[in-house]
Amino acid sequence: MLRYSGLQRDVFALYRRALRMVRTKPPSTREKFRLFVRYNFKTQAATVSPRSVSTIEHLIRRGQRQLETYENSAVKDCWVSQEMRDWEEQEHGQIVL
């Protein structure tokens, strides 16, 4: 069985929490929120070395603060850039509105 470090578990927990937040949003905007979450996690993971613990800890704290903002029930939509849409199309061949 694979054992994860505490830092890895923190990242997984933040990702799960973000995906749960997506389910609380209006159905018409869920795909945009899901793309926003996936894009940010993937691009940040690609730019940070797994050995850079302080950078990962900083990104976790920043992600938690950002997620607290998006978890607010008053937030109904998010902005998705063309870069995010292009990334999604390249990754999965899907186009997000």
Side-chain angles (χ1 to χ4, degrees):
M1 184 166 124
L2 188 60
R3 294 178 53 101
Y4 295 108
S5 72
L7 204 55
Q8 288 172 315
R9 288 193 302 266
D10 291 344
V11 172
F12 293 146
L14 182 62
Y15 190 69
R16 279 192 310 271
R17 183 176 156 200
L19 292 178
R20 286 185 187 118
M21 175 273 303
V22 170
R23 291 192 307 230
T24 68
K25 300 305 174 187
S28 60
T29 61
R30 285 182 188 165
E31 284 303 315
K32 288 169 69 176
F33 276 102
R34 187 173 293 114
L35 172 57
F36 181 82
V37 168
R38 291 184 67 246
Y39 176 82
N40 281 302
F41 270 85
K42 287 279 190 169
T43 56
Q44 292 297 329
T47 61
V48 176
S49 166
R51 289 177 169 55
S52 183
V53 174
S54 62
T55 303
I56 295 169
E57 289 172 339
H58 167 74
L59 290 172
I60 290 171
R61 286 190 304 274
R62 193 176 86 186
Q64 289 169 337
R65 285 192 305 272
Q66 189 175 26
L67 187 55
E68 286 172 7
T69 301
Y70 283 110
E71 284 175 332
N72 185 332
S73 60
V75 177
K76 302 288 185 201
D77 202 356
C78 69
W79 181 74
V80 175
S81 70
Q82 186 60 45
E83 182 180 337
M84 292 179 189
R85 294 172 201 267
D86 294 344
W87 175 85
E88 178 72 5
E89 189 172 344
Q90 182 182 17
E91 288 285 310
H92 298 289
Q94 298 173 352
I95 299 174
V96 177
L97 299 175

